[in-house]
């Protein structure tokens, strides 16, 4: 199709997960249920961590931020998909698509950075326990989160500004259920070389570096555990990392699955289905992982529920 200036684009079409009318209602019910569970579960974590003084520690401060980001992350994509399914429409305006792509990059990047910061927190707690409260003071942990927000907001803004210089066809089909940056670049009519370079840089900054930080932190943690003589001490120390390690494996495992599925099948539909795992399933499971594997969180949730009951 002939390329048009981006100011003249009438609409983008999100092709979604399936065109089959018979699966639209089950899809709507499934994603609505998962979205409500995600919001409720993460809200409970935030309320428990903020209301219970036992959880006023750096680890749960970061967990509250992660729960907030997970709510926003899911809310960036799922509500629009539900509206389109309900209205039997695939439309999303050019401006809406840019806004969705921007906030998706913001919250996906923030997820990465928070998980990395939480690994650093466990590293300090286990490898430098005597200096933990001095190092992880309230000013420092707030600064870590603030710097993370500044980084992801800036990087995402650069992405969107570079997309605005691209041209698209008057009616542009995006083979996904949300405006994902790489899919937008694939359907652009103009040269995307600079955009692709920016994607690689952003992937390194918001993906590779945080993952490397996590690997380094756990390498140091394992090294410290091996030096402990008591098996009970080893188990107690490592048990504080159990929930975080599960979240790391789930987040990076599903993200890796998306890219592997796209590379192996060369199918946009395959990567779209795989994307559901890290955009919807992972944020939904995080509260269960932390509540089921953590006695402090379970106790705080129990006290919160009792306080709210008549």
């Amino acid at each position: 199709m002939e390329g048009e200036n981006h100011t003249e684009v009438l609409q983008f079409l999100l092709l979604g997960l399936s065109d089959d009318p018979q699966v639209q209602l089950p899809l709507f019910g499934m994603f609505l249920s998962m979205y409500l569970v995600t919001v409720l579960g993460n809200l409970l974590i935030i309320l428990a961590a903020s209301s219970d003084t036992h959880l006023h520690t750096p680890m749960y401060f970061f967990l509250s931020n992660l729960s907030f980001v997970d709510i926003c992350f899911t809310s960036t994509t799922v509500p629009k998909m539900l509206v389109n399914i309900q209205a039997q429409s695939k439309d999303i305006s050019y401006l809406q698509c840019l806004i969705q792509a921007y906030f998706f990059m913001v919250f996906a990047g923030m997820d990465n950075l928070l998980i990395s910061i939480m690994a650093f927190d466990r590293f300090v707690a286990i490898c430098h326990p005597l200096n933990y409260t001095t190092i992880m003071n309230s000013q420092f942990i707030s600064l870590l989160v603030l710097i993370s927000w500044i980084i992801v907001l800036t990087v995402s803004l650069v992405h969107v500004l570079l997309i605005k210089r691209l041209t698209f066809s008057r009616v542009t089909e995006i083979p996904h259920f949300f405006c994902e940056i790489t899919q937008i670049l694939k359907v652009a009519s103009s040269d995307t070389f600079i955009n692709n370079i920016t994607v690689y840089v952003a992937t390194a900054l918001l993906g590779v570096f945080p993952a490397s930080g996590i690997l380094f932190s756990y390498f140091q943690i394992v090294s410290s555990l091996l030096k402990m003589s008591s098996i009970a001490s080893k188990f107690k120390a490592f048990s504080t990392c159990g929930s975080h390690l599960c979240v790391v494996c789930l987040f990076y495992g599903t993200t890796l699955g998306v890219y592997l599925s796209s590379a192996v099948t060369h199918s946009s539909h395959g990567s779209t289905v795989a994307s559901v795992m890290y955009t919807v399933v992972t944020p939904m499971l995080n509260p269960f992982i932390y509540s089921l594997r953590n006695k402090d969180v379970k106790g705080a949730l129990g006290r919160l529920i009792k306080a709210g009951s008549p």
Side-chain angles (χ1 to χ4, degrees):
M1 289 184 289
E2 184 183 353
E4 299 288 346
N5 186 277
H6 63 263
T7 58
E8 298 175 355
V9 171
L10 296 179
Q11 62 182 348
F12 282 171
L13 298 178
L14 296 174
L15 300 186
L17 293 169
S18 174
D19 288 327
D20 188 349
Q22 294 184 344
V23 303
Q24 298 306 304
L25 185 58
L27 280 177
F28 181 87
M30 181 180 69
F31 279 97
L32 178 61
S33 301
M34 289 194 294
Y35 178 67
L36 293 176
V37 170
T38 300
V39 173
L40 179 60
N42 283 288
L43 275 179
L44 285 174
I45 293 290
I46 294 171
L47 290 173
S50 59
S51 63
D52 197 305
T53 54
H54 296 91
L55 302 185
H56 290 176
T57 63
M59 181 172 71
Y60 296 110
F61 170 74
F62 295 133
L63 178 58
S64 296
N65 277 272
L66 181 66
S67 293
F68 169 74
V69 169
D70 278 342
I71 291 173
C72 297
F73 185 43
T74 309
S75 299
T76 302
T77 58
V78 176
K80 177 59 180 175
M81 179 177 63
L82 293 175
V83 168
N84 281 4
I85 292 175
Q86 181 67 20
Q88 297 182 351
S89 169
K90 299 177 184 291
D91 292 2
I92 184 170
S93 70
Y94 174 73
L95 179 60
Q96 287 176 334
C97 192
L98 286 184
I99 292 172
Q100 188 181 63
Y102 174 75
F103 283 108
F104 179 83
M105 287 184 284
V106 166
F107 297 124
M110 198 62 193
D111 250 342
N112 268 298
L113 293 179
L114 280 174
I115 291 173
S116 180
I117 292 172
M118 292 170 78
F120 173 72
D121 173 73
R122 292 299 84 207
F123 156 69
V124 176
I126 293 174
C127 300
H128 305 282
L130 298 180
N131 298 320
Y132 178 73
T133 53
T134 303
I135 297 173
M136 303 301 290
N137 59 74
S138 59
Q139 291 83 7
F140 180 64
I141 63 176
S142 299
L143 183 63
L144 284 176
V145 173
L146 178 61
I147 291 173
S148 298
W149 277 111
I150 292 172
I151 291 172
V152 296
L153 289 170
T154 304
V155 171
S156 301
L157 182 61
V158 170
H159 268 303
V160 170
L161 292 177
L162 287 174
I163 290 174
K164 282 182 65 65
R165 56 181 281 278
L166 301 177
T167 57
F168 298 89
S169 299
R170 188 174 292 275
V171 178
T172 302
E173 293 184 347
I174 299 177
H176 217 299
F177 64 92
F178 66 95
C179 289
E180 200 262 337
I181 181 73
T182 56
Q183 296 295 334
I184 295 175
L185 297 183
K186 285 180 181 178
V187 298
S189 303
S190 53
D191 181 59
T192 60
F193 176 76
I194 296 177
N195 299 78
N196 288 326
I197 294 297
T198 309
V199 168
Y200 297 140
V201 172
T203 301
L205 185 62
L206 301 180
V208 177
F209 289 166
S212 300
I214 293 170
L215 290 174
F216 172 79
S217 295
Y218 274 103
F219 176 79
Q220 295 296 322
I221 288 171
V222 171
S223 298
S224 295
L225 292 177
L226 292 176
K227 296 175 184 177
M228 294 181 182
S229 56
S230 169
I231 295 178
S233 298
K234 291 180 181 179
F235 178 78
K236 183 179 179 180
F238 193 73
S239 65
T240 63
C241 304
S243 298
H244 178 261
L245 202 53
C246 288
V247 170
V248 169
C249 293
L250 184 63
F251 183 81
Y252 284 100
T254 53
T255 304
L256 184 62
V258 171
Y259 289 102
L260 287 178
S261 123
S262 177
V264 172
T265 63
H266 299 287
S267 167
S268 59
H269 180 72
S271 63
T272 299
V273 174
S275 296
V276 173
M277 288 299 296
Y278 80 91
T279 57
V280 184
V281 177
T282 299
M284 180 183 70
L285 293 181
N286 283 350
F288 293 99
I289 292 172
Y290 274 99
S291 59
L292 293 176
R293 295 185 55 88
N294 191 303
K295 292 180 180 179
D296 293 333
V297 174
K298 282 194 287 188
L301 287 173
R303 289 187 289 271
L304 180 66
I305 294 171
K306 286 181 182 178
S309 60

